[in-house]
Amino acid sequence: MAQLIRNPFNWILAVIYAVGLPLTIGRFIFGLGWATHSSYDYPWGLFLGWGLFVMVPLSASGFMLGTTVELFGRKDFKPIERLGLLNGLLGYFFAVVFLQVDLGQPWRLVYPMFVSLGPAAVLFLVAWHVATYLSVQIAELVPAASEFMGWIKPKKFIKSIVLGLTIAGIILSTLHQGALGALFTYAPGKVHPLWFSSAFQWFHFFCSSIFAGLSMLIVVSTLSKWFLKWRCDKTFLESLDRCTLGISKGASLALITYLVIKFIALAHDNNWGYLLTGWGQWYLFEITFGAIIPLALFTTAIRSNRAGLARLAAFFAVFGIALNRLNTALIAFNWNLYQEIPHWREAIIAIMVYATYIVVYRAVLYRLPILYTWKGDSK
Amino acid sequence: MNRRNFIKGSLAGGLAVAATAKTEKADAAAGTFGGYADSMGVLVDLTKCVGCRTCEAACNKEQGLPEPDKPFDDYSVFDEHRHGGLPRRTTEKEYTIVNRYEVEGREKPLYRKFQCNHCNEPACLTSCFVNAYTKTPEGAVIYNPKVCVGCRTCMIACPFYVPTYSYSSAINPVVKKCIMCYDTRLKFGRPPACVEACPQGVMTFGKRKDLISLAHKMIDAKPGKYVNHVYGETEVGGTSWMYLSDVPFEEIGFNTHLGPQPIINYVKDFLAIVPMVLTIWPALFTGFHLLATRKQANKDESNKA
């Protein structure tokens, strides 16, 4: 308890909950109209713009690390694999929490699964894949929990099917990360042409989720190193710099692919003219600070073997991906109508849900063998 | 067997191995639905509208909508502007509205009636993941509030910004929009309330295909009177409600950049890759795994020997 009060971060959390909790309860009593600016023209606000479209790509680390370690057999990334998986699981779980805050009738969440099916819709795919993928991610983290609880059988079972789980993770991730982009292909005239390309939209979202997830993993591992050092074991701390640079290589490959595809999309739709407008400058700002600068930093870091620089790059890339998704979903959406600014209640509720994500994240890291290897593990 | 069914059949067969419900997605990716042949429609001759708002009142009564803020004979609503300086739009309490447009070079202002256009291949329907929307053979696009989850993707998808949402309700918020009076009239072959109530005969109710030829005859009969375009004949795959005007449509609030493709066509690039990823990825990545770990496997093998 004394420790709880000593940590200044907990004070901030207390303030967030003191303000946010009544507002969140209010949203369910008075409705979305009270809490948000969701209008007829802008049906989606911060809850989905931030909670779904930003959080899901930042949580792609689960399938990326699973692929690296289990599928490509790169056991040298093992020390950071579980953090990657956890980052994925919690990110997805809280994306669903955000969705529940946003849905008009959240108690009908299972309707697309069991009650009334619309299988030709992109969102149907998102719903099913996120649900299935959540189960895959839980399964992938069963070993960590079973070590903590002292179970042996579940861990062995998961080990026997881990390749299947990993491949399922790749399939589901390819499709639902892409599907989040494809959702906007329903609004070809509403999203600004610089953020819209019906042919490439799904690939933009999928490809950028690769470096988004990897960069987020670098950010989280950095934060763990700073604030949770006592919980990390020697293996984690000693291999972190090497792992960070290894992950940076993956991230920079995805970044360069992303930039090339962005470039091709510009040429394919012949959108060069828009670059000279105000929207074009905003677009170039996003590309420069969110993709080109992180790419330059990542490659410099890899060449000069400086993990610190790679961490800086990761912060830029995470910022870039957040900006890109918010641009597509909110800022450049309805660009020829008017600009919608989220309601203050909406912003505070979003901050509170995100704070809950951080609290749960921290609580799991404190306890489960994520940052450290379980000592009493006897095969 | 028409093309749609043929493609549906061959895809279903070919992908049976891929299993699950994905075949229907593939079907959506391959087939195009051109609308029901005998669907009904309404042709709106905007040149005849005088802005009396009788249609708004008729809609309000027929659909049992709440009392309006201003009575229907209050014409000051034409001067109202909402967020962003835009003219009035439909709301959860008004399924149809009339707006006034001052057009340069036109003696009198032009009034434009606005409601759901009832697309042949509606974006709201194709984007809905609980199948809440139905395009009836009579032409109406109707909505089932009992299955709606409230994701509001239909509102994102609708190119005409038609569906509205009862955000004010916490317990049972639902989508609100014109359903062409399907339950009370269209089902029985009768025209929607607004059409019947109009004192100026602005709207003609009939089979959509007949209305298209009627519209072109009207354009040809008086050269120079109408703009040579029937709005809604081809827009986003065609709509049940169509419009004639004597001023260019873009000057009176119509989006003239929608193109002839139904909205779902823009989504097909993605839908087409779904069965591909589902079938190719497992083999591809298992192969990667075998390749990536072959050194280790070889070592294990030689150790055994």
PDB file of all heavy atoms in Angstrom, chain A residues 48-66:
ATOM      1  N   LEU A  48     -13.253   4.535 -31.711  1.00  0.00           N
ATOM      2  CA  LEU A  48     -12.790   3.636 -32.756  1.00  0.00           C
ATOM      3  C   LEU A  48     -11.522   4.173 -33.407  1.00  0.00           C
ATOM      4  O   LEU A  48     -10.589   3.425 -33.680  1.00  0.00           O
ATOM      5  CB  LEU A  48     -13.883   3.445 -33.814  1.00  0.00           C
ATOM      6  CG  LEU A  48     -15.119   2.670 -33.352  1.00  0.00           C
ATOM      7  CD1 LEU A  48     -16.021   2.363 -34.522  1.00  0.00           C
ATOM      8  CD2 LEU A  48     -14.740   1.375 -32.658  1.00  0.00           C
ATOM      9  N   GLY A  49     -11.470   5.481 -33.638  1.00  0.00           N
ATOM     10  CA  GLY A  49     -10.311   6.077 -34.299  1.00  0.00           C
ATOM     11  C   GLY A  49      -9.033   5.752 -33.549  1.00  0.00           C
ATOM     12  O   GLY A  49      -8.027   5.344 -34.134  1.00  0.00           O
ATOM     13  N   TRP A  50      -9.072   5.909 -32.228  1.00  0.00           N
ATOM     14  CA  TRP A  50      -7.910   5.587 -31.413  1.00  0.00           C
ATOM     15  C   TRP A  50      -7.946   4.123 -30.959  1.00  0.00           C
ATOM     16  O   TRP A  50      -7.003   3.369 -31.170  1.00  0.00           O
ATOM     17  CB  TRP A  50      -7.832   6.516 -30.195  1.00  0.00           C
ATOM     18  CG  TRP A  50      -6.752   6.109 -29.247  1.00  0.00           C
ATOM     19  CD1 TRP A  50      -6.875   5.310 -28.154  1.00  0.00           C
ATOM     20  CD2 TRP A  50      -5.360   6.429 -29.339  1.00  0.00           C
ATOM     21  NE1 TRP A  50      -5.657   5.115 -27.559  1.00  0.00           N
ATOM     22  CE2 TRP A  50      -4.699   5.794 -28.265  1.00  0.00           C
ATOM     23  CE3 TRP A  50      -4.591   7.192 -30.232  1.00  0.00           C
ATOM     24  CZ2 TRP A  50      -3.335   5.888 -28.045  1.00  0.00           C
ATOM     25  CZ3 TRP A  50      -3.231   7.293 -30.011  1.00  0.00           C
ATOM     26  CH2 TRP A  50      -2.615   6.657 -28.935  1.00  0.00           C
ATOM     27  N   GLY A  51      -9.053   3.735 -30.355  1.00  0.00           N
ATOM     28  CA  GLY A  51      -9.115   2.444 -29.682  1.00  0.00           C
ATOM     29  C   GLY A  51      -9.054   1.255 -30.610  1.00  0.00           C
ATOM     30  O   GLY A  51      -8.542   0.201 -30.245  1.00  0.00           O
ATOM     31  N   LEU A  52      -9.593   1.371 -31.807  1.00  0.00           N
ATOM     32  CA  LEU A  52      -9.556   0.235 -32.727  1.00  0.00           C
ATOM     33  C   LEU A  52      -8.456   0.426 -33.766  1.00  0.00           C
ATOM     34  O   LEU A  52      -7.560  -0.395 -33.894  1.00  0.00           O
ATOM     35  CB  LEU A  52     -10.919   0.074 -33.407  1.00  0.00           C
ATOM     36  CG  LEU A  52     -11.069  -1.170 -34.278  1.00  0.00           C
ATOM     37  CD1 LEU A  52     -11.093  -2.427 -33.430  1.00  0.00           C
ATOM     38  CD2 LEU A  52     -12.340  -1.092 -35.122  1.00  0.00           C
ATOM     39  N   PHE A  53      -8.507   1.558 -34.475  1.00  0.00           N
ATOM     40  CA  PHE A  53      -7.625   1.703 -35.627  1.00  0.00           C
ATOM     41  C   PHE A  53      -6.170   1.969 -35.243  1.00  0.00           C
ATOM     42  O   PHE A  53      -5.269   1.663 -36.012  1.00  0.00           O
ATOM     43  CB  PHE A  53      -8.156   2.798 -36.563  1.00  0.00           C
ATOM     44  CG  PHE A  53      -9.435   2.394 -37.228  1.00  0.00           C
ATOM     45  CD1 PHE A  53     -10.644   2.978 -36.879  1.00  0.00           C
ATOM     46  CD2 PHE A  53      -9.443   1.382 -38.170  1.00  0.00           C
ATOM     47  CE1 PHE A  53     -11.832   2.571 -37.469  1.00  0.00           C
ATOM     48  CE2 PHE A  53     -10.624   0.969 -38.774  1.00  0.00           C
ATOM     49  CZ  PHE A  53     -11.817   1.569 -38.417  1.00  0.00           C
ATOM     50  N   VAL A  54      -5.915   2.551 -34.070  1.00  0.00           N
ATOM     51  CA  VAL A  54      -4.528   2.746 -33.644  1.00  0.00           C
ATOM     52  C   VAL A  54      -4.048   1.554 -32.816  1.00  0.00           C
ATOM     53  O   VAL A  54      -2.929   1.073 -32.991  1.00  0.00           O
ATOM     54  CB  VAL A  54      -4.365   4.061 -32.848  1.00  0.00           C
ATOM     55  CG1 VAL A  54      -2.940   4.191 -32.325  1.00  0.00           C
ATOM     56  CG2 VAL A  54      -4.703   5.264 -33.724  1.00  0.00           C
ATOM     57  N   MET A  55      -4.894   1.057 -31.934  1.00  0.00           N
ATOM     58  CA  MET A  55      -4.418   0.017 -31.020  1.00  0.00           C
ATOM     59  C   MET A  55      -4.164  -1.323 -31.710  1.00  0.00           C
ATOM     60  O   MET A  55      -3.248  -2.046 -31.335  1.00  0.00           O
ATOM     61  CB  MET A  55      -5.400  -0.161 -29.859  1.00  0.00           C
ATOM     62  CG  MET A  55      -5.227   0.959 -28.868  1.00  0.00           C
ATOM     63  SD  MET A  55      -5.919   0.657 -27.266  1.00  0.00           S
ATOM     64  CE  MET A  55      -4.953  -0.633 -26.585  1.00  0.00           C
ATOM     65  N   VAL A  56      -4.951  -1.659 -32.693  1.00  0.00           N
ATOM     66  CA  VAL A  56      -4.769  -2.968 -33.337  1.00  0.00           C
ATOM     67  C   VAL A  56      -3.428  -3.072 -34.087  1.00  0.00           C
ATOM     68  O   VAL A  56      -2.696  -4.035 -33.877  1.00  0.00           O
ATOM     69  CB  VAL A  56      -5.982  -3.325 -34.217  1.00  0.00           C
ATOM     70  CG1 VAL A  56      -5.690  -4.543 -35.072  1.00  0.00           C
ATOM     71  CG2 VAL A  56      -7.192  -3.597 -33.343  1.00  0.00           C
ATOM     72  N   PRO A  57      -3.063  -2.088 -34.925  1.00  0.00           N
ATOM     73  CA  PRO A  57      -1.735  -2.223 -35.545  1.00  0.00           C
ATOM     74  C   PRO A  57      -0.600  -2.210 -34.522  1.00  0.00           C
ATOM     75  O   PRO A  57       0.393  -2.930 -34.699  1.00  0.00           O
ATOM     76  CB  PRO A  57      -1.648  -1.013 -36.485  1.00  0.00           C
ATOM     77  CG  PRO A  57      -2.730  -0.096 -36.077  1.00  0.00           C
ATOM     78  CD  PRO A  57      -3.796  -0.946 -35.487  1.00  0.00           C
ATOM     79  N   LEU A  58      -0.737  -1.427 -33.458  1.00  0.00           N
ATOM     80  CA  LEU A  58       0.328  -1.388 -32.455  1.00  0.00           C
ATOM     81  C   LEU A  58       0.430  -2.716 -31.702  1.00  0.00           C
ATOM     82  O   LEU A  58       1.383  -2.944 -30.966  1.00  0.00           O
ATOM     83  CB  LEU A  58       0.099  -0.243 -31.467  1.00  0.00           C
ATOM     84  CG  LEU A  58       0.274   1.168 -32.036  1.00  0.00           C
ATOM     85  CD1 LEU A  58       0.065   2.208 -30.957  1.00  0.00           C
ATOM     86  CD2 LEU A  58       1.644   1.344 -32.675  1.00  0.00           C
ATOM     87  N   SER A  59      -0.556  -3.573 -31.889  1.00  0.00           N
ATOM     88  CA  SER A  59      -0.541  -4.860 -31.200  1.00  0.00           C
ATOM     89  C   SER A  59      -0.175  -6.009 -32.137  1.00  0.00           C
ATOM     90  O   SER A  59      -0.368  -7.169 -31.810  1.00  0.00           O
ATOM     91  CB  SER A  59      -1.913  -5.120 -30.581  1.00  0.00           C
ATOM     92  OG  SER A  59      -2.306  -3.995 -29.838  1.00  0.00           O
ATOM     93  N   ALA A  60       0.339  -5.663 -33.309  1.00  0.00           N
ATOM     94  CA  ALA A  60       0.714  -6.717 -34.262  1.00  0.00           C
ATOM     95  C   ALA A  60       1.967  -7.453 -33.820  1.00  0.00           C
ATOM     96  O   ALA A  60       2.385  -8.410 -34.469  1.00  0.00           O
ATOM     97  CB  ALA A  60       0.931  -6.111 -35.651  1.00  0.00           C
ATOM     98  N   SER A  61       2.577  -7.020 -32.717  1.00  0.00           N
ATOM     99  CA  SER A  61       3.834  -7.620 -32.273  1.00  0.00           C
ATOM    100  C   SER A  61       3.659  -9.100 -31.949  1.00  0.00           C
ATOM    101  O   SER A  61       4.597  -9.878 -32.084  1.00  0.00           O
ATOM    102  CB  SER A  61       4.343  -6.889 -31.042  1.00  0.00           C
ATOM    103  OG  SER A  61       3.384  -6.979 -30.013  1.00  0.00           O
ATOM    104  N   GLY A  62       2.455  -9.492 -31.521  1.00  0.00           N
ATOM    105  CA  GLY A  62       2.235 -10.879 -31.139  1.00  0.00           C
ATOM    106  C   GLY A  62       2.522 -11.823 -32.287  1.00  0.00           C
ATOM    107  O   GLY A  62       3.329 -12.748 -32.162  1.00  0.00           O
ATOM    108  N   PHE A  63       1.910 -11.563 -33.404  1.00  0.00           N
ATOM    109  CA  PHE A  63       2.103 -12.500 -34.510  1.00  0.00           C
ATOM    110  C   PHE A  63       3.483 -12.335 -35.145  1.00  0.00           C
ATOM    111  O   PHE A  63       4.078 -13.296 -35.626  1.00  0.00           O
ATOM    112  CB  PHE A  63       0.952 -12.379 -35.522  1.00  0.00           C
ATOM    113  CG  PHE A  63       1.192 -11.534 -36.726  1.00  0.00           C
ATOM    114  CD1 PHE A  63       1.693 -12.097 -37.888  1.00  0.00           C
ATOM    115  CD2 PHE A  63       0.877 -10.183 -36.724  1.00  0.00           C
ATOM    116  CE1 PHE A  63       1.882 -11.314 -39.017  1.00  0.00           C
ATOM    117  CE2 PHE A  63       1.069  -9.410 -37.848  1.00  0.00           C
ATOM    118  CZ  PHE A  63       1.585  -9.973 -39.002  1.00  0.00           C
ATOM    119  N   MET A  64       4.055 -11.125 -35.078  1.00  0.00           N
ATOM    120  CA  MET A  64       5.392 -10.925 -35.630  1.00  0.00           C
ATOM    121  C   MET A  64       6.426 -11.752 -34.860  1.00  0.00           C
ATOM    122  O   MET A  64       7.257 -12.436 -35.435  1.00  0.00           O
ATOM    123  CB  MET A  64       5.790  -9.449 -35.547  1.00  0.00           C
ATOM    124  CG  MET A  64       5.026  -8.517 -36.467  1.00  0.00           C
ATOM    125  SD  MET A  64       4.974  -9.086 -38.158  1.00  0.00           S
ATOM    126  CE  MET A  64       6.712  -9.102 -38.538  1.00  0.00           C
ATOM    127  N   LEU A  65       6.364 -11.682 -33.515  1.00  0.00           N
ATOM    128  CA  LEU A  65       7.354 -12.393 -32.704  1.00  0.00           C
ATOM    129  C   LEU A  65       7.113 -13.898 -32.723  1.00  0.00           C
ATOM    130  O   LEU A  65       8.049 -14.689 -32.744  1.00  0.00           O
ATOM    131  CB  LEU A  65       7.341 -11.845 -31.271  1.00  0.00           C
ATOM    132  CG  LEU A  65       8.377 -10.768 -30.966  1.00  0.00           C
ATOM    133  CD1 LEU A  65       9.761 -11.413 -30.845  1.00  0.00           C
ATOM    134  CD2 LEU A  65       8.434  -9.693 -32.049  1.00  0.00           C
ATOM    135  N   GLY A  66       5.834 -14.280 -32.742  1.00  0.00           N
ATOM    136  CA  GLY A  66       5.508 -15.696 -32.851  1.00  0.00           C
ATOM    137  C   GLY A  66       6.113 -16.263 -34.128  1.00  0.00           C
ATOM    138  O   GLY A  66       6.737 -17.323 -34.136  1.00  0.00           O
TER     139      GLY A  66
END
